[in-house]
């Protein structure tokens, strides 16, 4: 069982012993892990699912890690932190990796503790320069006090609707899929779609219905997003 809001990490490695050693260690720390064993599978998963970080080997069948990294950077709708994991340890190799879009580079052999620390650091780096207040259009959220305001009126939210709103505010302007919301709220404690639907309904009931225009948009086949009005 993982903790809600735990990291979701894609491990791209064609050697099963290495990938499972990484996964076993990460799961002990509450992470949710997925696997890809070749470049094509890695691209498909990275572009189709939500990940906090990708651990990417360079020597892969069906598109190497450099090609995978380049494809993700060219096609992803958000910046996904990528750590290159490889036996190539020259300065030239590292520069090529960074030029292809890698955020970090760790050479084999490596310590699992260091890889885990780097994944955590990369996944949290974008938060360092964030202000405590998130705002989209008429809606604002103070993350320290958890106070929500719309059009100057204080809004009281239950914990899970508050989590949903926080995720949508942080993701704006992109849409957030139902599976991403479930991953961030419940981790790998699977829940049925009715539970999420109920919490979104409760959020809309408080945040939208008392006002003239709704701010929460349903994008059919995609997920949910906020309208800045």
């Amino acid at each position: 069982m993982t903790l809600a809001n735990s990291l979701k990490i894609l491990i791209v490695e064609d050697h099963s012993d290495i990938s499972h050693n990484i996964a076993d260690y990460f799961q002990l720390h509450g992470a949710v892990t997925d696997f890809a064993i070749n470049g094509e599978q890695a691209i498909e998963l990275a572009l189709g699912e939500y990940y906090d970080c990708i651990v990417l080997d360079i020597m892969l069948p069906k598109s190497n890690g450099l090609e995978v990294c380049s494809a993700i950077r060219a096609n992803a709708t958000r910046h996904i932190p990528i750590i290159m994991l490889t036996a190539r340890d020259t300065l030239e190799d590292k520069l090529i990796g960074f030029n292809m879009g890698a955020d970090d580079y760790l050479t084999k052999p490596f310590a699992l503790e260091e890889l885990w620390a780097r994944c955590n650091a990369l996944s949290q780096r974008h938060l360092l320069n964030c202000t405590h207040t998130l705002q989209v259009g008429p809606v604002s959220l103070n993350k320290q006090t958890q106070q929500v305001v719309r059009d100057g009126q204080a809004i009281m939210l239950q914990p899970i609707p508050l989590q949903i709103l926080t995720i949508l505010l942080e993701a704006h302007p992109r849409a957030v899929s139902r599976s991403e919301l479930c991953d961030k709220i419940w981790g790998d404690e699977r829940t049925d779609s009715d539970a999420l639907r109920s919490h979104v309904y409760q959020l809309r009931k408080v945040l939208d219905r008392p006002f003239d225009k709704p701010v929460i948009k349903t994008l059919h086949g995609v997920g949910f997003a906020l309208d800045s009005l």
Side-chain angles (χ1 to χ4, degrees):
M1 181 179 69
T2 62
L3 299 174
N5 297 321
S6 60
L7 297 186
K8 185 175 182 181
I9 299 174
L10 176 61
I11 302 170
V12 186
E13 169 64 65
D14 60 333
H15 290 90
S16 61
D17 54 342
I18 296 176
S19 61
H20 283 93
N21 281 341
I22 295 172
D24 288 346
Y25 187 85
F26 282 13
Q27 288 166 8
L28 286 175
H29 290 76
V32 177
T33 56
D34 281 349
F35 300 93
I37 60 174
N38 62 59
E40 289 181 2
Q41 186 183 27
I43 294 169
E44 181 180 359
L45 284 171
L47 298 180
E49 301 289 335
Y50 179 92
Y51 296 103
D52 294 292
C53 189
I54 297 174
V55 177
L56 178 61
D57 188 25
I58 289 183
M59 299 301 293
L60 295 168
K62 298 182 180 180
S63 295
N64 64 43
L66 297 174
E67 294 168 334
V68 171
C69 187
S70 180
I72 292 171
R73 290 291 177 253
N75 296 286
T77 58
R78 54 179 285 267
H79 183 84
I80 311 168
I82 297 175
I83 298 179
M84 290 282 190
L85 190 62
T86 178
R88 297 182 177 182
D89 59 358
T90 69
L91 175 60
E92 182 180 2
D93 289 325
K94 294 177 181 179
L95 292 177
I96 291 172
F98 286 124
N99 287 334
M100 285 294 183
D103 297 282
D104 202 353
Y105 198 106
L106 187 61
T107 56
K108 300 176 181 178
F110 59 90
L112 291 169
E113 295 90 340
E114 182 178 3
L115 179 59
W116 172 247
R118 288 174 183 247
C119 285
N120 268 289
L122 283 180
S123 66
Q124 295 300 316
R125 185 174 294 168
H126 73 283
L127 299 176
L128 295 178
N129 295 320
C130 292
T131 63
H132 295 302
T133 300
L134 301 170
Q135 181 155 2
V136 174
V139 178
S140 67
L141 164 66
N142 185 307
K143 293 193 291 184
Q144 285 188 317
T145 64
Q146 297 190 328
Q147 183 180 34
V148 178
V149 175
R150 174 168 179 181
D151 293 328
Q153 298 183 34
I155 304 292
M156 300 299 296
L157 293 176
Q158 295 297 314
I160 291 182
L162 178 62
Q163 279 186 275
I164 294 171
L165 178 60
T166 303
I167 294 166
L168 294 176
L169 284 165
E170 290 179 337
H172 181 79
R174 74 174 178 89
V176 180
S177 68
R178 289 170 174 80
S179 62
E180 181 181 340
L181 283 170
C182 289
D183 284 339
K184 286 183 166 292
I185 295 168
W186 291 289
D188 66 353
E189 294 181 5
R190 291 293 86 189
T191 185
D192 57 50
S193 59
D194 287 340
L196 178 62
R197 188 179 301 113
S198 174
H199 290 299
V200 172
Y201 172 81
Q202 293 298 324
L203 175 60
R204 281 186 160 132
K205 183 178 178 181
V206 178
L207 191 66
D208 278 347
R209 290 195 176 180
F211 301 91
D212 293 336
K213 294 182 179 179
V215 295
I216 302 172
K217 300 185 295 184
T218 299
L219 304 176
H220 295 289
V222 179
F224 303 97
L226 293 179
D227 191 338
S228 58
L229 298 182

